[in-house]
Amino acid sequence: MPSQPKGDVIRRQWEMLLLIPAHDRPGKTAPELCATLAELGYPVTRRTVERDLESLQQCLPLESDPATRPLRWRWRKARTLDIPGMEAAEAMALIMMRDAMRAHLPRSFLDALQSRFAEANRTLNALARGRSRTRWSDKIRIVPGHLVLHSPAIAPGILQTLQQALLAELPIEAQYQSLQDPEPRKRLLYPRALILRGSSLYLIAEQAGGKAPHFYAVQRFSHLRLRELEPFPKAAFDLDAFLADGTNQFGDGRSIRLKATVTTALAKILRDSPLSEDMTLTPSEDDWALQATVRDTWSLHSWLLGHGENIRVQQPASLRDLVSRRLQAAASQYA
């Protein structure tokens, strides 16, 4: 085979490195990499791929199990291909993102980014060395603006199996215990999407038998198994339409014109952090008239109830009645 230009070789090797799985995934063989490279426009022999891997292993954190044949290649634990350097702003943003999401995201989500977080730490430590008497980590904090519930514990391997099922559109056989069930029940599910709501992760899936999509709390799965030979429904699924549907607990999401009266204290907060782009605040005697186009969702209801003594909903009437009933029910607990 004629030799390839050096630029083509580098591009081919770069594409091959991007195809190699992370440490927690099954490795890929040289024939598998060879076939995918051909699909990407890089026809190459199996032996060439093997030579590339053996050569690149000398300078990159690649590994293979010599006990398996053919060899399966993957990245070593907590290491990925990351050639470009990291600037201070990116490093600070990553660390603050990690701290902000620690209580919201499942541990396995954050584990997948550990190499990036570690590099951010190294970058900031290097910049601060010799310039400050305190560590850079003592200079930043994430302070939640509301009560944050800790992310529920998810059984090992559950999230990885769900992600694989979602990406490949594969049915799953699941052991799931709902709040109403005293014991886990076996179900055949067709995964459609993952939703992070607050600190809880939900799987949106259809159940065998043609039932409409439903949400399942991921922490309530105790066992999952891929059913690769089971046919997957061909009907299209629209996640946005599902979320906008008022029949599920995520709220109907329809736009409403909120009209309310707010105190001066809340008006100052809303000037800095408006409810919407078209929000207006008009002074009136001792308070302020608020108008804004917002989504009628559970988060709006929670926000209104949280500012109970500082806001009085006027329109829509249905929302005013809902908030009134909830506040009266809450007050009755202290009567």
Side-chain angles (χ1 to χ4, degrees):
M1 178 180 293
S3 61
Q4 293 178 290
K6 184 177 294 185
D8 291 344
V9 173
I10 293 174
R11 282 192 289 270
R12 186 195 74 231
Q13 291 177 342
W14 178 268
E15 291 289 351
M16 182 184 70
L17 290 172
L18 294 177
L19 296 173
I20 296 176
H23 73 280
D24 57 347
R25 301 285 184 181
K28 288 192 175 182
T29 66
E32 290 172 339
L33 293 170
C34 189
T36 306
L37 285 171
E39 293 175 0
L40 295 174
Y42 298 98
V44 67
T45 66
R46 169 180 172 172
R47 184 57 193 143
T48 298
V49 169
E50 291 173 339
R51 282 198 299 265
D52 285 346
L53 290 167
E54 292 166 1
S55 176
L56 291 168
Q57 190 181 25
Q58 305 304 312
C59 57
L60 292 174
L62 297 172
E63 66 178 8
S64 61
D65 184 358
T68 63
R69 286 293 185 273
L71 293 177
R72 289 190 170 274
W73 294 84
R74 63 183 182 180
W75 293 102
R76 292 179 198 158
K77 187 174 183 180
R79 295 298 298 272
T80 58
L81 178 64
D82 192 13
I83 300 299
M86 182 178 293
E87 297 183 356
E90 182 185 358
M92 185 71 74
L94 276 168
I95 294 302
M96 296 189 76
M97 179 189 73
R98 178 200 64 187
D99 294 344
M101 299 307 295
R102 185 171 280 158
H104 297 281
L105 287 176
R107 176 66 182 271
S108 56
F109 274 26
L110 293 176
D111 286 347
L113 296 171
Q114 281 306 315
S115 62
R116 297 293 291 169
F117 296 147
E119 185 182 354
N121 269 307
R122 288 193 298 271
T123 298
L124 293 174
N125 285 334
L127 290 172
R129 191 173 297 123
R131 301 183 184 181
S132 175
R133 290 170 294 179
T134 58
R135 297 175 304 171
W136 71 265
S137 56
D138 293 328
K139 298 177 181 290
I140 60 172
R141 289 292 182 270
I142 298 296
V143 181
H146 53 83
L147 178 66
V148 177
L149 300 178
H150 287 275
S151 179
I154 298 174
I158 293 294
L159 193 53
Q160 290 83 351
T161 303
L162 285 179
Q163 291 169 333
Q164 185 178 354
L166 276 170
L167 291 174
E169 294 191 339
L170 294 174
I172 55 173
E173 184 179 282
Q175 290 285 348
Y176 182 83
Q177 184 174 0
S178 69
L179 291 173
Q180 294 76 31
D181 293 331
E183 299 290 338
R185 290 174 48 199
K186 183 184 291 187
R187 306 164 191 255
L188 179 61
L189 301 176
Y190 307 105
R192 292 295 196 174
L194 281 175
I195 300 296
L196 182 65
R197 176 185 178 186
S199 57
S200 296
L201 191 65
Y202 294 89
L203 172 72
I204 308 302
E206 300 168 22
Q207 192 167 338
K211 296 183 179 179
H214 189 65
F215 59 91
Y216 298 86
V218 172
Q219 75 271 13
R220 297 189 171 278
F221 287 106
S222 56
H223 177 74
L224 290 179
R225 183 168 69 91
L226 296 176
R227 294 285 297 271
E228 299 184 20
L229 300 180
E230 188 79 25
F232 197 88
K234 295 182 179 179
F237 173 75
D238 189 329
L239 179 56
D240 290 329
F242 175 83
L243 294 177
D245 187 350
T247 60
N248 63 75
Q249 76 174 53
F250 293 98
D252 62 12
R254 64 189 177 90
S255 293
I256 59 172
R257 187 64 178 169
L258 174 66
K259 296 183 179 180
T261 301
V262 301
T263 62
T264 298
L266 182 54
K268 291 179 179 178
I269 295 174
L270 291 173
R271 283 199 200 98
D272 293 336
S273 303
L275 282 174
S276 66
E277 293 184 359
D278 66 353
M279 187 194 78
T280 60
L281 285 168
T282 307
S284 60
E285 297 184 5
D286 297 331
D287 47 33
W288 295 75
L290 164 71
Q291 291 193 39
T293 302
V294 294
R295 291 281 187 181
D296 187 10
T297 63
W298 65 272
S299 56
L300 172 66
H301 301 170
S302 178
W303 183 84
L304 291 171
L305 294 169
H307 288 285
E309 72 275 18
N310 291 312
I311 185 168
R312 183 172 66 254
V313 177
Q314 297 172 336
Q315 292 182 14
S318 58
L319 181 58
R320 175 188 174 92
D321 293 342
L322 173 64
V323 173
S324 176
R325 290 196 304 271
R326 296 281 297 275
L327 290 174
Q328 291 177 37
S332 68
Q333 300 290 330
Y334 298 89

